[in-house]
Tab-separated table of all heavy atoms in Angstrom:
chain	number	residue	atom	x	y	z
A	27	MET	N	25.390	29.062	56.805
A	27	MET	CA	26.283	27.903	56.882
A	27	MET	C	25.987	26.939	55.742
A	27	MET	O	24.830	26.675	55.445
A	27	MET	CB	26.078	27.199	58.224
A	27	MET	CG	27.295	26.390	58.647
A	27	MET	SD	26.959	25.453	60.141
A	27	MET	CE	27.779	26.460	61.382
A	28	ASP	N	27.044	26.428	55.151
A	28	ASP	CA	26.858	25.493	54.037
A	28	ASP	C	26.586	24.081	54.532
A	28	ASP	O	27.168	23.648	55.511
A	28	ASP	CB	28.099	25.471	53.140
A	28	ASP	CG	28.183	26.726	52.298
A	28	ASP	OD1	27.138	27.320	51.997
A	28	ASP	OD2	29.310	27.103	51.955
A	29	PHE	N	25.711	23.427	53.819
A	29	PHE	CA	25.528	22.011	54.107
A	29	PHE	C	26.590	21.222	53.352
A	29	PHE	O	26.940	21.559	52.225
A	29	PHE	CB	24.146	21.542	53.663
A	29	PHE	CG	23.051	22.045	54.556
A	29	PHE	CD1	22.281	23.129	54.183
A	29	PHE	CD2	22.823	21.418	55.786
A	29	PHE	CE1	21.279	23.599	55.011
A	29	PHE	CE2	21.830	21.887	56.619
A	29	PHE	CZ	21.051	22.972	56.240
A	30	ASP	N	27.093	20.225	53.978
A	30	ASP	CA	28.045	19.365	53.287
A	30	ASP	C	27.358	18.633	52.145
A	30	ASP	O	26.250	18.141	52.301
A	30	ASP	CB	28.641	18.329	54.240
A	30	ASP	CG	29.715	18.950	55.115
A	30	ASP	OD1	30.432	19.832	54.626
A	30	ASP	OD2	29.809	18.551	56.280
A	31	ASP	N	28.027	18.585	51.023
A	31	ASP	CA	27.500	17.797	49.912
A	31	ASP	C	27.765	16.334	50.192
A	31	ASP	O	28.881	15.875	50.154
A	31	ASP	CB	28.178	18.234	48.610
A	31	ASP	CG	27.512	17.568	47.421
A	31	ASP	OD1	26.652	16.698	47.609
A	31	ASP	OD2	27.868	17.917	46.292
A	32	ASP	N	26.709	15.639	50.488
A	32	ASP	CA	26.842	14.253	50.952
A	32	ASP	C	26.681	13.244	49.819
A	32	ASP	O	26.572	12.061	50.064
A	32	ASP	CB	25.782	13.997	52.023
A	32	ASP	CG	26.316	13.081	53.115
A	32	ASP	OD1	27.472	12.649	52.997
A	32	ASP	OD2	25.565	12.802	54.036
A	33	ASP	N	26.657	13.715	48.598
A	33	ASP	CA	26.325	12.824	47.493
A	33	ASP	C	27.494	12.025	46.955
A	33	ASP	O	27.334	11.144	46.144
A	33	ASP	CB	25.721	13.626	46.335
A	33	ASP	CG	24.258	13.949	46.636
A	33	ASP	OD1	23.769	13.466	47.660
A	33	ASP	OD2	23.654	14.683	45.856
A	34	LYS	N	28.683	12.368	47.393
A	34	LYS	CA	29.846	11.636	46.871
A	34	LYS	C	29.809	10.180	47.305
A	34	LYS	O	29.639	9.886	48.472
A	34	LYS	CB	31.128	12.265	47.397
A	34	LYS	CG	31.425	13.590	46.740
A	34	LYS	CD	32.656	14.208	47.390
A	34	LYS	CE	32.494	15.707	47.516
A	34	LYS	NZ	32.727	16.182	48.857
A	35	GLY	N	30.005	9.281	46.332
A	35	GLY	CA	29.975	7.868	46.672
A	35	GLY	C	28.632	7.500	47.245
A	35	GLY	O	28.398	7.648	48.425
A	36	SER	N	27.736	7.059	46.412
A	36	SER	CA	26.356	6.872	46.833
A	36	SER	C	26.199	5.607	47.665
A	36	SER	O	25.385	4.758	47.368
A	36	SER	CB	25.460	6.814	45.614
A	36	SER	OG	25.921	5.810	44.746
A	37	LYS	N	26.987	5.503	48.706
A	37	LYS	CA	26.905	4.310	49.552
A	37	LYS	C	25.570	4.253	50.280
A	37	LYS	O	25.164	5.210	50.921
A	37	LYS	CB	28.030	4.340	50.585
A	37	LYS	CG	28.946	3.148	50.479
A	37	LYS	CD	29.942	3.148	51.611
A	37	LYS	CE	30.847	1.949	51.577
A	37	LYS	NZ	30.276	0.673	51.301
A	38	GLY	N	24.913	3.124	50.138
A	38	GLY	CA	23.670	2.942	50.864
A	38	GLY	C	22.514	3.757	50.330
A	38	GLY	O	21.493	3.864	50.971
A	39	LYS	N	22.700	4.314	49.162
A	39	LYS	CA	21.632	5.149	48.607
A	39	LYS	C	21.037	4.475	47.378
A	39	LYS	O	21.738	3.904	46.567
A	39	LYS	CB	22.182	6.506	48.188
A	39	LYS	CG	22.816	7.283	49.327
A	39	LYS	CD	21.754	8.073	50.088
A	39	LYS	CE	22.393	8.892	51.202
A	39	LYS	NZ	23.279	9.908	50.626
A	40	GLY	N	19.774	4.565	47.257
A	40	GLY	CA	19.121	4.038	46.073
A	40	GLY	C	18.772	5.156	45.125
A	40	GLY	O	19.338	6.238	45.203
A	41	ARG	N	17.871	4.896	44.245
A	41	ARG	CA	17.412	5.935	43.340
A	41	ARG	C	16.838	7.094	44.154
A	41	ARG	O	16.292	6.893	45.226
A	41	ARG	CB	16.343	5.362	42.423
A	41	ARG	CG	16.275	6.145	41.149
A	41	ARG	CD	15.348	5.542	40.141
A	41	ARG	NE	14.782	4.254	40.536
A	41	ARG	CZ	14.299	3.401	39.665
A	41	ARG	NH1	14.353	3.665	38.398
A	41	ARG	NH2	13.771	2.267	40.064
A	42	ASN	N	16.968	8.300	43.704
A	42	ASN	CA	16.506	9.500	44.412
A	42	ASN	C	17.284	9.744	45.698
A	42	ASN	O	16.869	10.535	46.538
A	42	ASN	CB	15.015	9.411	44.753
A	42	ASN	CG	14.172	9.139	43.540
A	42	ASN	OD1	14.498	9.610	42.458
A	42	ASN	ND2	13.114	8.377	43.706
A	43	GLY	N	18.411	9.037	45.861
A	43	GLY	CA	19.227	9.248	47.039
A	43	GLY	C	18.639	8.676	48.315
A	43	GLY	O	19.138	8.951	49.389
A	44	LYS	N	17.599	7.897	48.196
A	44	LYS	CA	17.016	7.318	49.398
A	44	LYS	C	17.756	6.044	49.776
A	44	LYS	O	18.111	5.261	48.911
A	44	LYS	CB	15.537	6.971	49.163
A	44	LYS	CG	14.652	8.183	49.114
A	44	LYS	CD	13.196	7.763	49.066
A	44	LYS	CE	12.285	8.974	49.058
A	44	LYS	NZ	10.887	8.591	48.842
A	45	PRO	N	17.973	5.847	51.063
A	45	PRO	CA	18.610	4.599	51.470
A	45	PRO	C	17.723	3.399	51.159
A	45	PRO	O	16.500	3.477	51.284
A	45	PRO	CB	18.800	4.754	52.982
A	45	PRO	CG	18.238	6.049	53.371
A	45	PRO	CD	17.640	6.718	52.173
A	46	ILE	N	18.356	2.311	50.766
A	46	ILE	CA	17.609	1.085	50.501
A	46	ILE	C	17.638	0.245	51.776
A	46	ILE	O	18.704	-0.132	52.246
A	46	ILE	CB	18.239	0.305	49.333
A	46	ILE	CG1	18.299	1.184	48.091
A	46	ILE	CG2	17.453	-0.976	49.057
A	46	ILE	CD1	19.130	0.582	46.968
A	47	LYS	N	16.497	-0.026	52.320
A	47	LYS	CA	16.456	-0.765	53.583
A	47	LYS	C	15.589	-2.010	53.489
A	47	LYS	O	14.990	-2.442	54.469
A	47	LYS	CB	15.980	0.142	54.724
A	47	LYS	CG	16.981	1.255	55.008
A	47	LYS	CD	16.640	2.029	56.253
A	47	LYS	CE	16.989	1.250	57.492
A	47	LYS	NZ	16.785	2.044	58.724
A	48	GLU	N	15.526	-2.572	52.319
A	48	GLU	CA	14.848	-3.846	52.132
A	48	GLU	C	15.298	-4.423	50.809
A	48	GLU	O	15.781	-3.698	49.936
A	48	GLU	CB	13.335	-3.666	52.130
A	48	GLU	CG	12.875	-2.742	51.026
A	48	GLU	CD	11.364	-2.686	50.894
A	48	GLU	OE1	10.670	-3.167	51.799
A	48	GLU	OE2	10.886	-2.180	49.882
A	49	PHE	N	15.167	-5.735	50.687
A	49	PHE	CA	15.450	-6.341	49.399
A	49	PHE	C	14.552	-7.553	49.205
A	49	PHE	O	14.078	-8.148	50.171
A	49	PHE	CB	16.931	-6.738	49.283
A	49	PHE	CG	17.339	-7.879	50.198
A	49	PHE	CD1	17.397	-9.179	49.706
A	49	PHE	CD2	17.670	-7.640	51.515
A	49	PHE	CE1	17.777	-10.234	50.532
A	49	PHE	CE2	18.045	-8.696	52.354
A	49	PHE	CZ	18.097	-9.992	51.866
A	50	ASP	N	14.322	-7.863	47.947
A	50	ASP	CA	13.553	-9.060	47.632
A	50	ASP	C	14.527	-10.168	47.287
A	50	ASP	O	15.377	-10.013	46.403
A	50	ASP	CB	12.624	-8.798	46.447
A	50	ASP	CG	11.464	-7.897	46.829
A	50	ASP	OD1	10.977	-8.030	47.970
A	50	ASP	OD2	11.069	-7.063	46.003
A	51	CYS	N	14.424	-11.266	47.998
A	51	CYS	CA	15.326	-12.389	47.768
A	51	CYS	C	15.148	-12.926	46.347
A	51	CYS	O	14.032	-13.223	45.935
A	51	CYS	CB	15.029	-13.488	48.780
A	51	CYS	SG	15.960	-14.989	48.475
A	52	PRO	N	16.240	-13.051	45.588
A	52	PRO	CA	16.122	-13.560	44.223
A	52	PRO	C	15.830	-15.058	44.171
A	52	PRO	O	15.414	-15.574	43.145
A	52	PRO	CB	17.483	-13.245	43.591
A	52	PRO	CG	18.412	-13.080	44.743
A	52	PRO	CD	17.592	-12.616	45.915
A	53	THR	N	16.052	-15.748	45.277
A	53	THR	CA	15.805	-17.194	45.295
A	53	THR	C	14.361	-17.514	45.649
A	53	THR	O	13.685	-18.261	44.950
A	53	THR	CB	16.746	-17.883	46.295
A	53	THR	OG1	18.098	-17.643	45.910
A	53	THR	CG2	16.490	-19.386	46.342
A	54	CYS	N	13.878	-16.940	46.763
A	54	CYS	CA	12.541	-17.326	47.232
A	54	CYS	C	11.551	-16.171	47.151
A	54	CYS	O	10.399	-16.325	47.516
A	54	CYS	CB	12.616	-17.864	48.654
A	54	CYS	SG	12.948	-16.605	49.907
A	55	ASN	N	12.024	-15.010	46.691
A	55	ASN	CA	11.130	-13.868	46.483
A	55	ASN	C	10.648	-13.214	47.768
A	55	ASN	O	9.799	-12.334	47.723
A	55	ASN	CB	9.912	-14.281	45.653
A	55	ASN	CG	9.905	-13.586	44.306
A	55	ASN	OD1	10.717	-12.687	44.073
A	55	ASN	ND2	9.021	-13.990	43.426
A	56	ALA	N	11.157	-13.625	48.913
A	56	ALA	CA	10.721	-13.031	50.163
A	56	ALA	C	11.253	-11.614	50.279
A	56	ALA	O	12.359	-11.308	49.839
A	56	ALA	CB	11.211	-13.868	51.336
A	57	ASN	N	10.463	-10.755	50.903
A	57	ASN	CA	10.890	-9.384	51.144
A	57	ASN	C	11.584	-9.321	52.498
A	57	ASN	O	11.023	-9.697	53.514
A	57	ASN	CB	9.693	-8.444	51.110
A	57	ASN	CG	10.122	-6.999	51.296
A	57	ASN	OD1	9.994	-6.446	52.372
A	57	ASN	ND2	10.622	-6.391	50.250
A	58	ASN	N	12.832	-8.856	52.484
A	58	ASN	CA	13.633	-8.799	53.704
A	58	ASN	C	13.951	-7.364	54.074
A	58	ASN	O	14.692	-6.693	53.361
A	58	ASN	CB	14.972	-9.530	53.493
A	58	ASN	CG	14.807	-11.028	53.424
A	58	ASN	OD1	14.892	-11.716	54.431
A	58	ASN	ND2	14.553	-11.537	52.212
A	59	PRO	N	13.407	-6.860	55.183
A	59	PRO	CA	13.822	-5.546	55.664
A	59	PRO	C	15.209	-5.634	56.291
A	59	PRO	O	15.584	-6.679	56.831
A	59	PRO	CB	12.769	-5.196	56.707
A	59	PRO	CG	12.164	-6.485	57.125
A	59	PRO	CD	12.379	-7.477	56.021
A	60	THR	N	15.978	-4.570	56.213
A	60	THR	CA	17.316	-4.559	56.807
A	60	THR	C	17.417	-3.415	57.810
A	60	THR	O	16.775	-2.376	57.647
A	60	THR	CB	18.397	-4.370	55.725
A	60	THR	OG1	18.193	-3.132	55.062
A	60	THR	CG2	18.363	-5.500	54.710
A	61	ASP	N	18.209	-3.621	58.849
A	61	ASP	CA	18.430	-2.561	59.838
A	61	ASP	C	19.274	-1.442	59.261
A	61	ASP	O	18.996	-0.263	59.451
A	61	ASP	CB	19.128	-3.127	61.077
A	61	ASP	CG	18.205	-4.047	61.867
A	61	ASP	OD1	16.979	-3.840	61.794
A	61	ASP	OD2	18.711	-4.959	62.535
A	62	GLU	N	20.350	-1.849	58.579
A	62	GLU	CA	21.262	-0.879	57.984
A	62	GLU	C	20.896	-0.673	56.527
A	62	GLU	O	20.475	-1.619	55.855
A	62	GLU	CB	22.699	-1.408	58.048
A	62	GLU	CG	23.189	-1.702	59.442
A	62	GLU	CD	23.513	-0.420	60.185
A	62	GLU	OE1	23.967	0.535	59.514
A	62	GLU	OE2	23.293	-0.372	61.404
A	63	PRO	N	21.050	0.529	56.010
A	63	PRO	CA	20.849	0.725	54.570
A	63	PRO	C	21.792	-0.165	53.779
A	63	PRO	O	22.936	-0.369	54.167
A	63	PRO	CB	21.200	2.206	54.351
A	63	PRO	CG	21.052	2.835	55.690
A	63	PRO	CD	21.390	1.772	56.701
A	64	ILE	N	21.290	-0.714	52.698
A	64	ILE	CA	22.091	-1.608	51.868
A	64	ILE	C	23.079	-0.786	51.048
A	64	ILE	O	22.709	0.208	50.431
A	64	ILE	CB	21.176	-2.426	50.940
A	64	ILE	CG1	20.248	-3.304	51.781
A	64	ILE	CG2	22.006	-3.277	49.982
A	64	ILE	CD1	19.146	-3.972	50.973
A	65	ALA	N	24.344	-1.192	51.094
A	65	ALA	CA	25.375	-0.507	50.335
A	65	ALA	C	25.908	-1.431	49.248
A	65	ALA	O	25.770	-2.652	49.318
A	65	ALA	CB	26.508	-0.083	51.259
A	66	ASP	N	26.519	-0.809	48.246
A	66	ASP	CA	27.139	-1.571	47.178
A	66	ASP	C	28.157	-2.550	47.765
A	66	ASP	O	28.920	-2.196	48.656
A	66	ASP	CB	27.822	-0.576	46.228
A	66	ASP	CG	28.136	-1.214	44.886
A	66	ASP	OD1	27.334	-2.025	44.404
A	66	ASP	OD2	29.194	-0.867	44.339
A	67	LYS	N	28.157	-3.773	47.271
A	67	LYS	CA	29.097	-4.831	47.683
A	67	LYS	C	28.812	-5.379	49.087
A	67	LYS	O	29.654	-6.034	49.677
A	67	LYS	CB	30.559	-4.354	47.624
A	67	LYS	CG	30.966	-3.714	46.313
A	67	LYS	CD	31.470	-4.738	45.334
A	67	LYS	CE	32.213	-4.094	44.160
A	67	LYS	NZ	31.527	-2.947	43.580
A	68	ASP	N	27.619	-5.108	49.605
A	68	ASP	CA	27.232	-5.720	50.869
A	68	ASP	C	26.930	-7.198	50.676
A	68	ASP	O	26.516	-7.623	49.604
A	68	ASP	CB	25.958	-5.055	51.406
A	68	ASP	CG	26.256	-3.927	52.380
A	68	ASP	OD1	27.445	-3.673	52.633
A	68	ASP	OD2	25.297	-3.316	52.872
A	69	GLU	N	27.127	-7.954	51.742
A	69	GLU	CA	26.667	-9.337	51.734
A	69	GLU	C	25.378	-9.409	52.536
A	69	GLU	O	25.319	-8.945	53.669
A	69	GLU	CB	27.734	-10.256	52.342
A	69	GLU	CG	28.925	-10.424	51.426
A	69	GLU	CD	29.979	-11.345	52.024
A	69	GLU	OE1	29.660	-12.103	52.955
A	69	GLU	OE2	31.119	-11.283	51.546
A	70	LEU	N	24.363	-9.964	51.919
A	70	LEU	CA	23.058	-10.049	52.556
A	70	LEU	C	22.639	-11.498	52.694
A	70	LEU	O	22.964	-12.328	51.858
A	70	LEU	CB	22.013	-9.309	51.702
A	70	LEU	CG	22.249	-7.824	51.469
A	70	LEU	CD1	21.232	-7.302	50.467
A	70	LEU	CD2	22.130	-7.061	52.763
A	71	ARG	N	21.910	-11.773	53.747
A	71	ARG	CA	21.348	-13.112	53.915
A	71	ARG	C	19.845	-13.014	53.966
A	71	ARG	O	19.282	-12.187	54.689
A	71	ARG	CB	21.881	-13.746	55.197
A	71	ARG	CG	21.152	-15.068	55.521
A	71	ARG	CD	21.806	-15.803	56.644
A	71	ARG	NE	23.090	-16.338	56.191
A	71	ARG	CZ	24.035	-16.775	57.032
A	71	ARG	NH1	23.839	-16.704	58.327
A	71	ARG	NH2	25.159	-17.252	56.564
A	72	CYS	N	19.222	-13.875	53.199
A	72	CYS	CA	17.765	-13.943	53.238
A	72	CYS	C	17.331	-14.613	54.533
A	72	CYS	O	17.831	-15.679	54.894
A	72	CYS	CB	17.248	-14.726	52.032
A	72	CYS	SG	15.464	-14.972	52.087
A	73	ASN	N	16.428	-13.974	55.254
A	73	ASN	CA	15.945	-14.524	56.524
A	73	ASN	C	15.023	-15.719	56.327
A	73	ASN	O	14.717	-16.420	57.279
A	73	ASN	CB	15.192	-13.449	57.306
A	73	ASN	CG	16.115	-12.337	57.763
A	73	ASN	OD1	17.240	-12.584	58.174
A	73	ASN	ND2	15.636	-11.113	57.685
A	74	TYR	N	14.592	-15.922	55.098
A	74	TYR	CA	13.612	-16.975	54.861
A	74	TYR	C	14.264	-18.252	54.360
A	74	TYR	O	14.071	-19.316	54.926
A	74	TYR	CB	12.551	-16.480	53.877
A	74	TYR	CG	11.747	-15.354	54.461
A	74	TYR	CD1	12.196	-14.040	54.378
A	74	TYR	CD2	10.552	-15.610	55.135
A	74	TYR	CE1	11.477	-13.001	54.948
A	74	TYR	CE2	9.828	-14.585	55.701
A	74	TYR	CZ	10.286	-13.276	55.605
A	74	TYR	OH	9.582	-12.252	56.176
A	75	CYS	N	15.078	-18.132	53.322
A	75	CYS	CA	15.689	-19.351	52.777
A	75	CYS	C	17.147	-19.494	53.219
A	75	CYS	O	17.754	-20.544	53.018
A	75	CYS	CB	15.579	-19.375	51.253
A	75	CYS	SG	16.555	-18.119	50.418
A	76	GLY	N	17.727	-18.468	53.834
A	76	GLY	CA	19.078	-18.575	54.377
A	76	GLY	C	20.188	-18.441	53.360
A	76	GLY	O	21.357	-18.613	53.708
A	77	ASN	N	19.862	-18.143	52.118
A	77	ASN	CA	20.909	-17.963	51.109
A	77	ASN	C	21.655	-16.653	51.324
A	77	ASN	O	21.073	-15.659	51.759
A	77	ASN	CB	20.290	-17.955	49.706
A	77	ASN	CG	20.061	-19.361	49.189
A	77	ASN	OD1	20.326	-20.350	49.865
A	77	ASN	ND2	19.545	-19.448	47.977
A	78	ASP	N	22.949	-16.665	51.012
A	78	ASP	CA	23.769	-15.455	51.098
A	78	ASP	C	23.991	-14.890	49.705
A	78	ASP	O	24.212	-15.634	48.749
A	78	ASP	CB	25.134	-15.786	51.717
A	78	ASP	CG	25.004	-16.136	53.184
A	78	ASP	OD1	24.342	-15.380	53.907
A	78	ASP	OD2	25.565	-17.163	53.598
A	79	PHE	N	23.990	-13.583	49.637
A	79	PHE	CA	24.179	-12.916	48.353
A	79	PHE	C	25.147	-11.756	48.488
A	79	PHE	O	25.170	-11.069	49.513
A	79	PHE	CB	22.845	-12.364	47.823
A	79	PHE	CG	21.782	-13.399	47.702
A	79	PHE	CD1	20.871	-13.585	48.721
A	79	PHE	CD2	21.714	-14.205	46.588
A	79	PHE	CE1	19.892	-14.559	48.639
A	79	PHE	CE2	20.741	-15.183	46.484
A	79	PHE	CZ	19.834	-15.359	47.512
A	80	LEU	N	25.926	-11.565	47.444
A	80	LEU	CA	26.702	-10.346	47.317
A	80	LEU	C	25.871	-9.406	46.461
A	80	LEU	O	25.465	-9.750	45.353
A	80	LEU	CB	28.044	-10.634	46.647
A	80	LEU	CG	28.922	-9.404	46.399
A	80	LEU	CD1	29.416	-8.823	47.714
A	80	LEU	CD2	30.098	-9.775	45.516
A	81	VAL	N	25.600	-8.226	47.009
A	81	VAL	CA	24.729	-7.303	46.292
A	81	VAL	C	25.557	-6.168	45.689
A	81	VAL	O	26.512	-5.690	46.293
A	81	VAL	CB	23.633	-6.738	47.229
A	81	VAL	CG1	24.222	-5.906	48.347
A	81	VAL	CG2	22.626	-5.910	46.442
A	82	THR	N	25.205	-5.795	44.489
A	82	THR	CA	25.777	-4.601	43.883
A	82	THR	C	24.617	-3.692	43.482
A	82	THR	O	23.520	-4.162	43.183
A	82	THR	CB	26.621	-4.925	42.637
A	82	THR	OG1	25.857	-5.722	41.737
A	82	THR	CG2	27.881	-5.694	43.024
A	83	ILE	N	24.871	-2.409	43.538
A	83	ILE	CA	23.849	-1.437	43.173
A	83	ILE	C	24.273	-0.776	41.876
A	83	ILE	O	25.368	-0.221	41.785
A	83	ILE	CB	23.674	-0.383	44.281
A	83	ILE	CG1	23.318	-1.076	45.603
A	83	ILE	CG2	22.608	0.634	43.899
A	83	ILE	CD1	23.232	-0.129	46.792
A	84	ASN	N	23.442	-0.868	40.880
A	84	ASN	CA	23.824	-0.287	39.589
A	84	ASN	C	23.464	1.203	39.533
A	84	ASN	O	22.947	1.769	40.491
A	84	ASN	CB	23.214	-1.085	38.429
A	84	ASN	CG	21.713	-0.920	38.325
A	84	ASN	OD1	21.132	-0.026	38.946
A	84	ASN	ND2	21.076	-1.752	37.543
A	85	ASP	N	23.802	1.815	38.409
A	85	ASP	CA	23.622	3.262	38.287
A	85	ASP	C	22.175	3.695	38.446
A	85	ASP	O	21.892	4.812	38.863
A	85	ASP	CB	24.137	3.742	36.927
A	85	ASP	CG	25.648	3.638	36.856
A	85	ASP	OD1	26.282	3.556	37.925
A	85	ASP	OD2	26.192	3.634	35.738
A	86	ALA	N	21.260	2.799	38.125
A	86	ALA	CA	19.846	3.143	38.230
A	86	ALA	C	19.321	2.939	39.646
A	86	ALA	O	18.138	3.129	39.907
A	86	ALA	CB	19.035	2.304	37.248
A	87	GLY	N	20.195	2.527	40.567
A	87	GLY	CA	19.765	2.323	41.937
A	87	GLY	C	19.092	0.981	42.156
A	87	GLY	O	18.436	0.765	43.164
A	88	ARG	N	19.291	0.073	41.210
A	88	ARG	CA	18.673	-1.251	41.359
A	88	ARG	C	19.678	-2.227	41.946
A	88	ARG	O	20.869	-2.160	41.663
A	88	ARG	CB	18.189	-1.766	40.000
A	88	ARG	CG	17.066	-0.938	39.442
A	88	ARG	CD	16.508	-1.599	38.205
A	88	ARG	NE	16.054	-2.949	38.499
A	88	ARG	CZ	14.806	-3.369	38.332
A	88	ARG	NH1	13.908	-2.536	37.873
A	88	ARG	NH2	14.459	-4.596	38.598
A	89	LEU	N	19.170	-3.148	42.734
A	89	LEU	CA	20.035	-4.142	43.353
A	89	LEU	C	20.233	-5.320	42.411
A	89	LEU	O	19.303	-5.771	41.757
A	89	LEU	CB	19.392	-4.646	44.654
A	89	LEU	CG	19.097	-3.597	45.715
A	89	LEU	CD1	18.439	-4.249	46.919
A	89	LEU	CD2	20.365	-2.896	46.153
A	90	LYS	N	21.495	-5.788	42.385
A	90	LYS	CA	21.770	-7.011	41.634
A	90	LYS	C	22.419	-7.989	42.603
A	90	LYS	O	23.265	-7.608	43.404
A	90	LYS	CB	22.710	-6.725	40.469
A	90	LYS	CG	22.047	-5.883	39.402
A	90	LYS	CD	22.959	-5.697	38.206
A	90	LYS	CE	23.078	-6.991	37.417
A	90	LYS	NZ	23.843	-6.786	36.163
A	91	PHE	N	22.029	-9.235	42.526
A	91	PHE	CA	22.477	-10.228	43.490
A	91	PHE	C	23.320	-11.291	42.840
A	91	PHE	O	23.052	-11.741	41.735
A	91	PHE	CB	21.263	-10.903	44.141
A	91	PHE	CG	20.406	-9.954	44.910
A	91	PHE	CD1	19.347	-9.319	44.296
A	91	PHE	CD2	20.668	-9.679	46.238
A	91	PHE	CE1	18.536	-8.433	44.993
A	91	PHE	CE2	19.876	-8.796	46.941
A	91	PHE	CZ	18.817	-8.182	46.328
A	92	LYS	N	24.352	-11.696	43.582
A	92	LYS	CA	25.156	-12.832	43.154
A	92	LYS	C	25.182	-13.815	44.323
A	92	LYS	O	25.568	-13.464	45.429
A	92	LYS	CB	26.569	-12.355	42.821
A	92	LYS	CG	27.424	-13.419	42.215
A	92	LYS	CD	28.809	-12.850	41.940
A	92	LYS	CE	29.760	-14.004	41.650
A	92	LYS	NZ	31.139	-13.662	41.917
A	93	GLU	N	24.756	-15.035	44.054
A	93	GLU	CA	24.681	-16.019	45.124
A	93	GLU	C	26.075	-16.387	45.597
A	93	GLU	O	26.984	-16.570	44.797
A	93	GLU	CB	23.950	-17.263	44.627
A	93	GLU	CG	23.178	-17.949	45.720
A	93	GLU	CD	22.228	-19.009	45.170
A	93	GLU	OE1	21.603	-18.751	44.127
A	93	GLU	OE2	22.146	-20.069	45.786
A	94	LEU	N	26.255	-16.482	46.926
A	94	LEU	CA	27.560	-16.833	47.479
A	94	LEU	C	27.614	-18.315	47.831
A	94	LEU	O	26.613	-18.904	48.177
A	94	LEU	CB	27.851	-15.994	48.733
A	94	LEU	CG	27.984	-14.496	48.491
A	94	LEU	CD1	28.125	-13.777	49.821
A	94	LEU	CD2	29.216	-14.214	47.640
B	29	LIG	ZN1	15.200	-16.253	50.209
């Protein structure tokens, strides 16, 4: 039986195809674990400083934040 190729649209996947389930807040540097894997264009809130960010994931699997 063939396995489905799940690589299309790397939603919630970081480098090496691993889901990203934490982020470092760009404002206060706190490390925030997430319940759901982070996907491109997700909105994240830092649990420490309360800032909201729109996150994008670039080709290298790195998170980029834009303050909302
Ligand atoms: Zn923060």
Side-chain angles (χ1 to χ4, degrees):
M27 204 186 258
D28 286 332
F29 287 101
D30 282 325
D31 188 353
D32 216 358
D33 282 355
K34 287 176 218 127
S36 55
K37 240 186 178 317
K39 301 274 182 65
R41 205 174 355 201
N42 305 326
K44 287 188 178 173
I46 303 170
K47 294 189 76 174
E48 60 173 13
F49 68 98
D50 288 324
C51 174
T53 300
C54 71
N55 246 351
N57 183 259
N58 288 269
T60 61
D61 290 332
E62 301 285 327
I64 298 170
D66 197 37
K67 309 271 195 314
D68 266 0
E69 288 180 18
L70 300 173
R71 171 171 289 164
C72 175
N73 293 320
Y74 295 85
C75 67
N77 277 2
D78 291 311
F79 304 95
L80 177 68
V81 64
T82 52
I83 303 175
N84 70 14
D85 291 341
R88 294 188 57 120
L89 301 179
K90 291 184 72 174
F91 298 91
K92 187 181 166 204
E93 212 168 320
L94 296 174

